[in-house]
Short mmCIF file of all heavy atoms in Angstrom, two decimals:
data_model
loop_
_atom_site.label_atom_id
_atom_site.label_comp_id
_atom_site.label_asym_id
_atom_site.label_seq_id
_atom_site.Cartn_x
_atom_site.Cartn_y
_atom_site.Cartn_z
N MET A 1 63.05 -4.88 -1.23
CA MET A 1 63.48 -4.60 -2.51
C MET A 1 64.13 -5.82 -3.20
O MET A 1 63.98 -5.98 -4.34
CB MET A 1 64.45 -3.41 -2.49
CG MET A 1 63.89 -2.03 -2.37
SD MET A 1 62.84 -1.61 -3.65
CE MET A 1 64.01 -0.90 -4.78
N ASP A 2 64.67 -6.69 -2.43
CA ASP A 2 65.30 -7.93 -2.91
C ASP A 2 64.31 -8.73 -3.65
O ASP A 2 64.65 -9.28 -4.74
CB ASP A 2 65.93 -8.65 -1.83
CG ASP A 2 67.00 -9.67 -2.35
OD1 ASP A 2 67.60 -9.33 -3.36
OD2 ASP A 2 67.04 -10.79 -1.75
N ILE A 3 63.07 -8.94 -3.17
CA ILE A 3 62.04 -9.71 -3.75
C ILE A 3 61.66 -9.12 -5.10
O ILE A 3 61.49 -9.83 -6.12
CB ILE A 3 60.81 -9.92 -2.85
CG1 ILE A 3 61.15 -10.65 -1.56
CG2 ILE A 3 59.69 -10.56 -3.56
CD1 ILE A 3 60.10 -10.60 -0.54
N LEU A 4 61.54 -7.77 -5.17
CA LEU A 4 61.24 -7.04 -6.38
C LEU A 4 62.20 -7.23 -7.46
O LEU A 4 61.88 -7.57 -8.58
CB LEU A 4 60.95 -5.63 -6.09
CG LEU A 4 60.60 -4.73 -7.30
CD1 LEU A 4 59.28 -5.22 -7.94
CD2 LEU A 4 60.53 -3.28 -6.85
N GLU A 5 63.51 -7.19 -7.08
CA GLU A 5 64.55 -7.43 -8.01
C GLU A 5 64.52 -8.87 -8.58
O GLU A 5 64.76 -9.13 -9.82
CB GLU A 5 65.92 -7.14 -7.43
CG GLU A 5 66.20 -5.64 -7.14
CD GLU A 5 67.43 -5.44 -6.31
OE1 GLU A 5 68.15 -6.39 -6.15
OE2 GLU A 5 67.70 -4.18 -5.95
N GLU A 6 64.25 -9.89 -7.76
CA GLU A 6 64.24 -11.19 -8.21
C GLU A 6 63.09 -11.48 -9.12
O GLU A 6 63.30 -12.12 -10.16
CB GLU A 6 64.12 -12.17 -6.97
CG GLU A 6 63.95 -13.50 -7.34
CD GLU A 6 65.23 -14.15 -7.96
OE1 GLU A 6 66.28 -13.71 -7.74
OE2 GLU A 6 65.02 -15.12 -8.75
N LEU A 7 61.93 -10.88 -8.84
CA LEU A 7 60.73 -11.05 -9.70
C LEU A 7 61.02 -10.35 -11.12
O LEU A 7 60.66 -10.90 -12.11
CB LEU A 7 59.52 -10.36 -9.12
CG LEU A 7 58.87 -11.16 -7.92
CD1 LEU A 7 57.79 -10.35 -7.26
CD2 LEU A 7 58.43 -12.57 -8.22
N GLU A 8 61.64 -9.18 -11.04
CA GLU A 8 61.98 -8.41 -12.31
C GLU A 8 62.97 -9.26 -13.15
O GLU A 8 62.85 -9.31 -14.35
CB GLU A 8 62.48 -7.12 -11.97
CG GLU A 8 61.33 -6.14 -11.56
CD GLU A 8 61.80 -4.77 -11.22
OE1 GLU A 8 63.02 -4.58 -10.91
OE2 GLU A 8 61.03 -3.84 -11.37
N HIS A 9 63.97 -9.92 -12.39
CA HIS A 9 64.85 -10.70 -13.16
C HIS A 9 64.24 -11.96 -13.75
O HIS A 9 64.50 -12.31 -14.84
CB HIS A 9 66.01 -11.15 -12.18
CG HIS A 9 66.96 -12.09 -12.71
ND1 HIS A 9 67.98 -11.61 -13.67
CD2 HIS A 9 67.24 -13.44 -12.67
CE1 HIS A 9 68.69 -12.71 -14.09
NE2 HIS A 9 68.25 -13.76 -13.46
N GLN A 10 63.38 -12.55 -13.05
CA GLN A 10 62.65 -13.82 -13.53
C GLN A 10 61.80 -13.36 -14.79
O GLN A 10 61.81 -14.06 -15.80
CB GLN A 10 61.68 -14.38 -12.49
CG GLN A 10 62.39 -15.05 -11.33
CD GLN A 10 61.48 -15.49 -10.29
OE1 GLN A 10 60.32 -15.50 -10.43
NE2 GLN A 10 62.07 -15.98 -9.22
N TYR A 11 61.13 -12.19 -14.75
CA TYR A 11 60.34 -11.74 -15.93
C TYR A 11 61.24 -11.40 -17.05
O TYR A 11 61.03 -11.77 -18.17
CB TYR A 11 59.58 -10.47 -15.49
CG TYR A 11 58.60 -10.01 -16.51
CD1 TYR A 11 57.55 -10.72 -16.83
CD2 TYR A 11 58.92 -8.85 -17.24
CE1 TYR A 11 56.66 -10.28 -17.87
CE2 TYR A 11 58.08 -8.42 -18.28
CZ TYR A 11 56.92 -9.20 -18.54
OH TYR A 11 56.10 -8.77 -19.57
N PHE A 12 62.43 -10.80 -16.85
CA PHE A 12 63.46 -10.49 -17.88
C PHE A 12 63.88 -11.71 -18.56
O PHE A 12 63.91 -11.82 -19.66
CB PHE A 12 64.59 -9.69 -17.27
CG PHE A 12 65.67 -9.50 -18.24
CD1 PHE A 12 65.59 -8.51 -19.28
CD2 PHE A 12 66.83 -10.30 -18.20
CE1 PHE A 12 66.66 -8.37 -20.21
CE2 PHE A 12 67.91 -10.14 -19.18
CZ PHE A 12 67.78 -9.17 -20.11
N MET A 13 64.20 -12.83 -17.78
CA MET A 13 64.73 -14.02 -18.33
C MET A 13 63.57 -14.75 -19.13
O MET A 13 63.80 -15.33 -20.19
CB MET A 13 65.11 -15.03 -17.17
CG MET A 13 66.38 -14.50 -16.48
SD MET A 13 67.81 -14.09 -17.57
CE MET A 13 68.24 -15.75 -17.96
N LEU A 14 62.30 -14.70 -18.68
CA LEU A 14 61.19 -15.12 -19.40
C LEU A 14 61.03 -14.46 -20.75
O LEU A 14 60.87 -15.08 -21.81
CB LEU A 14 59.98 -15.06 -18.53
CG LEU A 14 58.62 -15.64 -19.21
CD1 LEU A 14 58.80 -17.18 -19.34
CD2 LEU A 14 57.40 -15.30 -18.32
N GLU A 15 61.22 -13.16 -20.76
CA GLU A 15 61.12 -12.42 -22.03
C GLU A 15 62.21 -12.78 -23.01
O GLU A 15 61.97 -12.59 -24.25
CB GLU A 15 61.18 -10.81 -21.75
CG GLU A 15 59.94 -10.26 -21.13
CD GLU A 15 60.06 -8.81 -20.91
OE1 GLU A 15 61.09 -8.31 -20.58
OE2 GLU A 15 58.99 -8.13 -21.20
N MET A 16 63.35 -13.15 -22.54
CA MET A 16 64.48 -13.56 -23.44
C MET A 16 64.25 -14.85 -24.10
O MET A 16 64.97 -15.24 -25.03
CB MET A 16 65.72 -13.51 -22.59
CG MET A 16 66.25 -12.24 -22.10
SD MET A 16 66.60 -11.06 -23.43
CE MET A 16 65.16 -9.93 -23.29
N GLN A 17 63.26 -15.65 -23.68
CA GLN A 17 63.09 -16.93 -24.37
C GLN A 17 62.54 -16.71 -25.83
O GLN A 17 61.81 -15.73 -26.07
CB GLN A 17 62.00 -17.79 -23.64
CG GLN A 17 62.44 -18.28 -22.32
CD GLN A 17 61.35 -19.11 -21.65
OE1 GLN A 17 60.39 -19.40 -22.27
NE2 GLN A 17 61.59 -19.36 -20.42
N ASP A 18 62.97 -17.46 -26.72
CA ASP A 18 62.58 -17.32 -28.13
C ASP A 18 61.09 -17.82 -28.33
O ASP A 18 60.36 -17.24 -29.18
CB ASP A 18 63.43 -18.24 -29.06
CG ASP A 18 64.83 -17.62 -29.15
OD1 ASP A 18 64.99 -16.38 -28.97
OD2 ASP A 18 65.80 -18.38 -29.42
N HIS A 19 60.75 -18.91 -27.67
CA HIS A 19 59.35 -19.44 -27.84
C HIS A 19 58.73 -19.57 -26.50
O HIS A 19 59.28 -20.07 -25.58
CB HIS A 19 59.43 -20.75 -28.48
CG HIS A 19 60.17 -20.80 -29.88
ND1 HIS A 19 59.55 -20.30 -30.95
CD2 HIS A 19 61.50 -21.15 -30.20
CE1 HIS A 19 60.36 -20.34 -31.94
NE2 HIS A 19 61.57 -20.88 -31.52
N TRP A 20 57.43 -19.16 -26.48
CA TRP A 20 56.60 -19.25 -25.28
C TRP A 20 55.52 -20.20 -25.52
O TRP A 20 54.92 -20.30 -26.61
CB TRP A 20 55.98 -17.85 -24.96
CG TRP A 20 56.90 -16.87 -24.28
CD1 TRP A 20 58.22 -16.82 -24.39
CD2 TRP A 20 56.48 -15.74 -23.50
NE1 TRP A 20 58.76 -15.79 -23.70
CE2 TRP A 20 57.67 -15.16 -23.21
CE3 TRP A 20 55.30 -15.25 -23.04
CZ2 TRP A 20 57.65 -13.97 -22.34
CZ3 TRP A 20 55.27 -14.16 -22.29
CH2 TRP A 20 56.38 -13.54 -21.88
N ASP A 21 55.17 -20.98 -24.42
CA ASP A 21 53.91 -21.84 -24.52
C ASP A 21 52.83 -21.11 -23.70
O ASP A 21 53.08 -20.09 -23.03
CB ASP A 21 54.16 -23.28 -24.16
CG ASP A 21 54.67 -23.38 -22.76
OD1 ASP A 21 54.47 -22.45 -21.92
OD2 ASP A 21 55.19 -24.47 -22.42
N SER A 22 51.69 -21.73 -23.54
CA SER A 22 50.61 -21.13 -22.82
C SER A 22 51.02 -20.88 -21.34
O SER A 22 50.63 -19.89 -20.65
CB SER A 22 49.29 -21.85 -22.92
OG SER A 22 49.42 -23.14 -22.39
N GLY A 23 51.79 -21.80 -20.73
CA GLY A 23 52.19 -21.73 -19.35
C GLY A 23 53.11 -20.44 -19.17
O GLY A 23 53.10 -19.90 -18.10
N ASP A 24 53.99 -20.23 -20.14
CA ASP A 24 54.79 -19.09 -20.08
C ASP A 24 54.01 -17.77 -20.04
O ASP A 24 54.41 -16.82 -19.29
CB ASP A 24 55.79 -19.00 -21.22
CG ASP A 24 56.89 -20.14 -21.17
OD1 ASP A 24 57.14 -20.60 -20.08
OD2 ASP A 24 57.22 -20.61 -22.31
N TYR A 25 52.92 -17.71 -20.77
CA TYR A 25 52.18 -16.43 -20.75
C TYR A 25 51.39 -16.30 -19.49
O TYR A 25 51.34 -15.15 -18.93
CB TYR A 25 51.03 -16.49 -21.92
CG TYR A 25 51.60 -16.28 -23.23
CD1 TYR A 25 51.87 -17.37 -24.20
CD2 TYR A 25 52.01 -14.98 -23.66
CE1 TYR A 25 52.37 -17.16 -25.43
CE2 TYR A 25 52.56 -14.80 -25.01
CZ TYR A 25 52.79 -15.82 -25.86
OH TYR A 25 53.33 -15.69 -27.06
N ARG A 26 50.96 -17.42 -18.86
CA ARG A 26 50.33 -17.31 -17.53
C ARG A 26 51.35 -16.86 -16.51
O ARG A 26 51.05 -16.11 -15.66
CB ARG A 26 49.70 -18.72 -17.16
CG ARG A 26 48.43 -18.95 -17.79
CD ARG A 26 47.68 -20.02 -17.11
NE ARG A 26 48.42 -21.35 -17.15
CZ ARG A 26 48.40 -22.24 -18.20
NH1 ARG A 26 47.60 -21.97 -19.18
NH2 ARG A 26 49.16 -23.26 -18.21
N TYR A 27 52.53 -17.50 -16.56
CA TYR A 27 53.56 -17.15 -15.62
C TYR A 27 54.00 -15.67 -15.70
O TYR A 27 54.16 -14.95 -14.74
CB TYR A 27 54.76 -18.12 -15.85
CG TYR A 27 55.92 -17.91 -14.88
CD1 TYR A 27 55.64 -17.89 -13.53
CD2 TYR A 27 57.17 -17.69 -15.37
CE1 TYR A 27 56.68 -17.71 -12.62
CE2 TYR A 27 58.21 -17.49 -14.46
CZ TYR A 27 57.98 -17.53 -13.09
OH TYR A 27 59.03 -17.35 -12.19
N ALA A 28 54.06 -15.17 -17.00
CA ALA A 28 54.40 -13.73 -17.21
C ALA A 28 53.30 -12.86 -16.62
O ALA A 28 53.60 -11.83 -15.95
CB ALA A 28 54.53 -13.47 -18.74
N ASP A 29 52.03 -13.21 -16.81
CA ASP A 29 50.89 -12.39 -16.11
C ASP A 29 51.10 -12.42 -14.67
O ASP A 29 50.86 -11.33 -14.06
CB ASP A 29 49.62 -13.01 -16.58
CG ASP A 29 49.32 -12.72 -18.00
OD1 ASP A 29 49.81 -11.85 -18.64
OD2 ASP A 29 48.38 -13.50 -18.63
N GLU A 30 51.33 -13.56 -13.99
CA GLU A 30 51.57 -13.63 -12.60
C GLU A 30 52.65 -12.79 -12.13
O GLU A 30 52.52 -12.08 -11.17
CB GLU A 30 51.76 -15.15 -12.14
CG GLU A 30 50.57 -15.97 -12.33
CD GLU A 30 50.84 -17.46 -12.05
OE1 GLU A 30 51.98 -17.77 -11.52
OE2 GLU A 30 50.04 -18.30 -12.38
N LEU A 31 53.82 -12.81 -12.87
CA LEU A 31 54.98 -12.01 -12.44
C LEU A 31 54.67 -10.57 -12.58
O LEU A 31 55.02 -9.74 -11.66
CB LEU A 31 56.14 -12.45 -13.34
CG LEU A 31 56.87 -13.70 -12.98
CD1 LEU A 31 57.97 -13.96 -14.09
CD2 LEU A 31 57.54 -13.71 -11.64
N ARG A 32 53.95 -10.16 -13.71
CA ARG A 32 53.72 -8.67 -13.82
C ARG A 32 52.78 -8.26 -12.75
O ARG A 32 52.96 -7.16 -12.24
CB ARG A 32 52.94 -8.52 -15.27
CG ARG A 32 54.00 -8.38 -16.33
CD ARG A 32 53.28 -7.84 -17.61
NE ARG A 32 52.23 -8.62 -18.07
CZ ARG A 32 52.25 -9.60 -18.94
NH1 ARG A 32 53.46 -9.87 -19.48
NH2 ARG A 32 51.32 -10.36 -19.35
N GLU A 33 51.79 -9.06 -12.27
CA GLU A 33 50.83 -8.71 -11.28
C GLU A 33 51.64 -8.54 -9.99
O GLU A 33 51.40 -7.59 -9.21
CB GLU A 33 49.74 -9.70 -11.13
CG GLU A 33 48.72 -9.36 -10.14
CD GLU A 33 47.84 -8.17 -10.46
OE1 GLU A 33 47.93 -7.71 -11.71
OE2 GLU A 33 47.32 -7.59 -9.60
N LYS A 34 52.52 -9.47 -9.57
CA LYS A 34 53.25 -9.39 -8.39
C LYS A 34 54.11 -8.18 -8.36
O LYS A 34 54.30 -7.54 -7.32
CB LYS A 34 54.08 -10.73 -8.18
CG LYS A 34 53.33 -11.90 -7.85
CD LYS A 34 54.20 -13.16 -7.71
CE LYS A 34 53.39 -14.37 -7.52
NZ LYS A 34 54.22 -15.60 -7.36
N ILE A 35 54.79 -7.94 -9.47
CA ILE A 35 55.69 -6.76 -9.60
C ILE A 35 54.94 -5.52 -9.38
O ILE A 35 55.32 -4.57 -8.65
CB ILE A 35 56.45 -6.81 -10.87
CG1 ILE A 35 57.51 -7.90 -10.92
CG2 ILE A 35 57.15 -5.48 -11.19
CD1 ILE A 35 58.08 -8.13 -12.30
N ARG A 36 53.76 -5.47 -10.00
CA ARG A 36 52.90 -4.26 -9.91
C ARG A 36 52.41 -4.04 -8.40
O ARG A 36 52.58 -2.90 -7.84
CB ARG A 36 51.60 -4.33 -10.78
CG ARG A 36 50.73 -3.14 -10.74
CD ARG A 36 49.44 -3.36 -11.58
NE ARG A 36 48.63 -4.44 -10.92
CZ ARG A 36 47.78 -4.25 -9.86
NH1 ARG A 36 47.78 -3.05 -9.30
NH2 ARG A 36 47.18 -5.20 -9.45
N LYS A 37 52.01 -5.12 -7.79
CA LYS A 37 51.60 -5.00 -6.38
C LYS A 37 52.77 -4.54 -5.44
O LYS A 37 52.56 -3.67 -4.56
CB LYS A 37 51.01 -6.29 -5.89
CG LYS A 37 49.63 -6.55 -6.50
CD LYS A 37 49.03 -7.85 -5.88
CE LYS A 37 47.72 -8.09 -6.43
NZ LYS A 37 47.12 -9.37 -5.96
N LEU A 38 53.91 -5.12 -5.70
CA LEU A 38 55.10 -4.70 -4.82
C LEU A 38 55.36 -3.27 -5.03
O LEU A 38 55.77 -2.47 -4.11
CB LEU A 38 56.31 -5.60 -5.14
CG LEU A 38 56.29 -6.97 -4.50
CD1 LEU A 38 57.46 -7.77 -5.02
CD2 LEU A 38 56.37 -6.82 -3.01
N LYS A 39 55.37 -2.80 -6.31
CA LYS A 39 55.68 -1.35 -6.54
C LYS A 39 54.69 -0.40 -5.96
O LYS A 39 55.03 0.68 -5.50
CB LYS A 39 55.84 -1.23 -8.09
CG LYS A 39 56.99 -1.65 -8.67
CD LYS A 39 57.16 -1.36 -10.08
CE LYS A 39 58.54 -1.89 -10.62
NZ LYS A 39 58.69 -1.57 -12.08
N GLU A 40 53.44 -0.84 -5.89
CA GLU A 40 52.34 -0.04 -5.24
C GLU A 40 52.56 0.11 -3.69
O GLU A 40 52.32 1.10 -3.14
CB GLU A 40 50.99 -0.64 -5.44
CG GLU A 40 50.46 -0.42 -6.84
CD GLU A 40 49.12 -1.09 -7.05
OE1 GLU A 40 48.65 -1.76 -6.15
OE2 GLU A 40 48.51 -0.94 -8.15
N GLU A 41 53.09 -0.99 -3.09
CA GLU A 41 53.34 -1.00 -1.73
C GLU A 41 54.58 -0.05 -1.31
O GLU A 41 54.60 0.46 -0.24
CB GLU A 41 53.70 -2.35 -1.20
CG GLU A 41 52.44 -3.28 -1.24
CD GLU A 41 52.80 -4.75 -0.80
OE1 GLU A 41 53.99 -4.94 -0.44
OE2 GLU A 41 51.99 -5.56 -0.90
N ILE A 42 55.56 0.14 -2.23
CA ILE A 42 56.68 0.91 -1.96
C ILE A 42 56.46 2.38 -2.01
O ILE A 42 55.62 3.07 -2.40
CB ILE A 42 57.86 0.58 -2.96
CG1 ILE A 42 58.18 -0.86 -2.77
CG2 ILE A 42 59.04 1.48 -2.89
CD1 ILE A 42 59.24 -1.35 -3.75
#
């Protein structure tokens, strides 16, 4: 569960940024995918 919490925290911090560049969108997609997979395993 600790990894899931860390990923969700990273995603939350990313969402709090005022401006995103293309790298931020890719990173957000990667984080969402990792979070989704971890939740499926649980």
Side-chain angles (χ1 to χ4, degrees):
M1 284 292 275
D2 196 34
I3 295 171
L4 180 59
E5 290 174 4
E6 178 63 29
L7 291 173
E8 288 177 334
H9 177 72
Q10 289 175 10
Y11 186 72
F12 173 77
M13 295 305 288
L14 185 63
E15 286 184 318
M16 293 297 107
Q17 291 183 13
D18 289 335
H19 302 285
W20 283 24
D21 61 21
S22 61
D24 292 330
Y25 287 104
R26 280 193 302 273
Y27 184 53
D29 289 341
E30 291 173 13
L31 285 174
R32 278 193 301 267
E33 185 64 22
K34 288 178 184 178
I35 291 168
R36 185 186 62 80
K37 286 181 180 181
L38 281 173
K39 285 184 177 181
E40 286 178 355
E41 290 176 7
I42 296 176

